[in-house]
């Protein structure tokens, strides 16, 4: 395990990941639980935000209270499955801006193809959290990180719920400057680039498509 990779061990995160792995987990439950996992992951990922003392007044008296030190945040989902994590993270940081990177994977070559990229104008001044429920081959994640860097982002974190060892290795090797967070690192990829045991296609399960 590389130093820039963190795997969550919180029992609530692990429990909820097990729920969405079940093939009988329906679209509504899957979508809800993905959001809940994203909320808990955001709580852990952002624990290093700096605070500063600000004067406030309680019903009893004035005091110096810790508040987040004005760091701007951008959440950037990789379309389309990454959208399933956005609302859960926004529930923790509702002031965050949201960008989008559209990627799809060529089913024959497994190479990522970009079709859309829209980011906040001040992306270079923001902590950027790129999210995708699945980190499989790592190709799409690598491409998305490159796109965001090309737009000027200097502080980037990447979060996935389920990851394959191959994807974690590729992303951490190509981008040692970013921190990678995973809910689970599974066994391996199959011949079609799907994670085993995994949970199937996250995008299809979030949006009820096939």
């Amino acid at each position: 395990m590389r130093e820039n990779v963190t795997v969550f061990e919180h029992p609530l995160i692990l429990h909820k990941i097990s729920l969405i792995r079940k093939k009988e987990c329906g679209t509504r439950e899957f979508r809800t639980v993905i959001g809940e996992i994203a909320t808990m992951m955001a709580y852990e990922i952002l624990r290093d935000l700096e605070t500063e003392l600000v004067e406030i007044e309680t019903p009893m008296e004035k005091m110096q209270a810790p508040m987040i030190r004005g760091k701007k945040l951008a959440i950037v989902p990789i379309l389309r499955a990454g959208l399933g994590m956005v609302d859960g993270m926004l529930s923790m940081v509702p002031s965050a801006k949201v960008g989008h990177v559209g990627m799809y994977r060529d089913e024959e070559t497994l190479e990522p193809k970009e079709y859309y990229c829209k980011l906040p104008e001040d992306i270079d001044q923001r902590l950027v959290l790129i999210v995708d429920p699945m980190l499989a081959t790592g190709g799409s994640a690598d491409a998305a990180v490159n796109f965001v860097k090309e737009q000027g982002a200097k502080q980037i974190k990447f979060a996935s719920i389920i990851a394959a060892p191959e994807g974690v290795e590729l992303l951490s090797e190509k981008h040692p400057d970013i921190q990678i967070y995973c809910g689970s690192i599974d066994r391996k990829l199959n011949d079609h680039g799907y994670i085993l045991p995994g949970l199937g296609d996250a995008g299809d399960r979030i949006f009820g498509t096939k």
Side-chain angles (χ1 to χ4, degrees), residues 63-84:
M63 67 168 290
Q64 296 291 313
M67 303 282 285
I68 293 175
R69 187 194 295 273
K71 176 171 282 188
K72 298 179 178 179
L73 177 67
I75 301 170
V76 179
I78 299 178
L79 302 179
R80 63 186 168 126
L83 290 172

Side-chain angles (χ1 to χ4, degrees), residues 125-197:
Q125 301 174 34
R126 294 180 177 272
L127 169 62
V128 181
L129 180 53
I130 301 175
V131 299
D132 193 340
M134 311 296 284
L135 174 57
T137 64
S140 294
D142 173 41
V145 172
N146 284 329
F147 291 144
V148 172
K149 284 182 174 179
E150 288 168 5
Q151 297 297 319
K154 300 177 179 64
Q155 300 179 72
I156 301 173
K157 296 186 177 188
F158 183 91
S160 67
I161 294 175
I162 303 286
E166 296 91 333
V168 174
E169 179 65 22
L170 184 145
L171 189 61
S172 61
E173 181 178 347
K174 289 197 172 185
H175 301 280
D177 56 318
I178 74 171
Q179 192 68 28
I180 300 165
Y181 299 87
C182 307
S184 172
I185 298 181
D186 282 14
R187 191 172 75 252
K188 66 174 185 176
L189 295 174
N190 66 12
D191 294 338
H192 299 288
Y194 283 92
I195 301 172
L196 297 177

Side-chain angles (χ1 to χ4, degrees), residues 99-129:
H100 299 87
V101 174
M103 307 288 302
Y104 72 92
R105 184 173 61 175
D106 187 294
E107 294 299 328
E108 293 184 1
T109 66
L110 302 184
E111 293 297 317
K113 304 291 184 181
E114 180 237 353
Y115 65 88
Y116 184 78
C117 184
K118 183 73 171 180
L119 303 173
E121 291 183 357
D122 59 349
I123 197 70
D124 60 317
Q125 301 174 34
R126 294 180 177 272
L127 169 62
V128 181
L129 180 53

